[in-house]
Every structure is written in structure tokens, then in C-alpha cells.
Amino acid sequence: MAEEITLTVLGTATCTPEAGRDSSCYCVNGSLLVDAGWHVVAGLTSAGLDPLDIDALIVTHCHHDHYMGIVGLLFYLGLEGRRVPEKRFLHVYGPAGEIGRVVEDAQRFLQTDRYPELEFPVEVHDVAPGDQFTDCGLEVKAVKALHNVPSLCYRVENASGVSVTFSGDTPFNPALVELAQGTDLLLHEMSFGPNSTRDKEGAAHSGSPEAAEVAALAGARRLALVHGYVAAQAASLAAAQERFPATFVPREGDVLHVGG
């Protein structure tokens, strides 16, 4: 029996989260974060996860709603990291030429020069489309997302071949279709709700029809619709299920057991 991936849903909202929600943030196997929404530390602790167990963060792109939780995470690690002396540093991965500035600005915001007790070592890794790397016991592959800033889609896969694929923010993306081939779970944004963006010139986001199209073409096992508004969830789900029946809308706090 294949070893499963445990995915804790911390945030599925758009850039300004509604009550009880957070912007994009997911925790894989309790140690790897994908994006860092507004309230990542609170989300982790509410889910019964220890922020000190986070060893790596993967950022899809450097729009604020996907990275602003880095400040809070580094503040927590700086204050509480002494409880785990063997925890040496946090790996942060993100779009090449972008992620380093975000981490530096977060450290500057914390004024680590004035408050050295808040310093926590961070190892920044520039990621380009086509890159592959391994962290937290998972193989990670990246392809280009079609957004209006440098952006990436990621696939994380364990040694048993169980995989979760993250679209990030993107309209319909052929590179994502290829990346997600046979994936056990595809998390795909639906910023435009049930409305398609296929014919929208210059689109930087998807509706649920694009998410369903990618899932169907990739042969994914399940599709999770994320990065959307509560009011549009029912209509978005119905539109996606017309093309891809194995679609659902996860909620903050859900723990998804993938594969196995």
C-alpha cells in the first residue's frame, strides 16, 4: 500500500480573506508549507500543527496574499526556535529573482538588527521553470504559471509516487496539464468562479471550468477548487463537475489524506 500524503488546508480564499478564512496556504505532511497566507501561524496552531516543525516553504509567486505570512512565521521561529535547538534554518523556495527580496524585506520588517533574538536563519532557493528539488522527503517539480508576475506551478510527490499538484494563480495552462499528469490531487484556483476565462484576453486567473479542463486532460484523480469566494462556491462546483465529476471545494481546517 502506497504511503499517503497528508495535506492540511490552511487557506483557500482570494487576496482579501473573508471571515474565518485565509488566503492561499497549505501544509504537506506537517513540515512543508505551500504559500504563506495572512495568518499562517494561527492556521497551523489551530490545526494542531507546530510551526517549529515547518522545515520548508514553497512560494508560488510574490503577490502579497501568497507570502505575507512569512513575517509572522519568522517572528514565531525567532522567538520559539530556541525550544528546538537542532532546528537550524528554514528553506524558502520561490520564483528566481523575486523570493530573495521578499525574505529580506520580511527580516527588515522584523528589525532583526535591533532585535537579534528574532533572527532565524533562512536559506533562500531561487526556482526557475523546469527545476526539480527534494525537501521534506518529497520530490518537487516546477513549471511556469501564466500570471502577471513571475509565477510557478508545483507538483510534490513522495517515494510511493503519491502526488499533489498546485496550480498557483494562472489561466488555462498547458504546462500545468503536463505537470499534473496522473496526479492524485490537483488544487486549482477558481478566482473567476463559474465563469470561464478562456476567451478573456490577458487573463491572469482561472474560473472553475478551466480547473476542470486541466484536471480532465491531466487524468487527475481528484480536483480541489481553491482561491475563490464563498458566494461563488456552489456555482463554481457545479460548473466544474459538468466536466470533471471528482471535484470538491475544501475548507480551512480540512485534512486531506491523499493516496495510500
Side-chain angles (χ1 to χ4, degrees), residues 35-36 57-63 66-67 70 91-107 122-128 150 152 154:
D35 283 340
L57 164 65
I58 296 173
V59 177
T60 58
H61 64 289
C62 292
H63 274 155
H66 293 259
Y67 73 73
I70 291 176
H91 291 282
V92 179
Y93 301 84
E98 300 269 312
I99 192 62
R101 172 178 173 172
V102 165
V103 172
E104 288 175 6
D105 285 348
Q107 293 168 323
V122 179
E123 192 166 313
V124 176
H125 305 267
D126 282 340
V127 182
L152 298 164
Y154 294 103

Side-chain angles (χ1 to χ4, degrees), residues 167-202:
S167 74
D169 288 3
T170 186
F172 176 79
N173 185 355
L176 176 59
V177 173
E178 183 176 351
L179 180 71
Q181 287 295 310
T183 194
D184 293 279
L185 176 63
L186 170 64
L187 285 89
H188 200 296
E189 71 129 313
M190 57 161 183
S191 298
F192 277 75
N195 305 304
S196 173
T197 63
R198 281 289 244 154
D199 299 322
K200 186 177 177 63
E201 185 177 354

Side-chain angles (χ1 to χ4, degrees), residues 122-139:
V122 179
E123 192 166 313
V124 176
H125 305 267
D126 282 340
V127 182
D131 283 355
Q132 300 184 36
F133 56 92
T134 300
D135 209 322
C136 299
L138 297 161
E139 182 182 356

Side-chain angles (χ1 to χ4, degrees), residues 41 47 94 97 169 175 196 217 252:
V41 171
D169 288 3
S196 173
L217 292 174
E252 275 74 358

Side-chain angles (χ1 to χ4, degrees), residues 2-3 5 155-164 181-184 259:
E3 179 185 358
I5 288 176
R155 177 181 178 132
V156 300
E157 188 168 321
N158 68 14
S160 296
V162 176
S163 67
V164 179
Q181 287 295 310
T183 194
D184 293 279

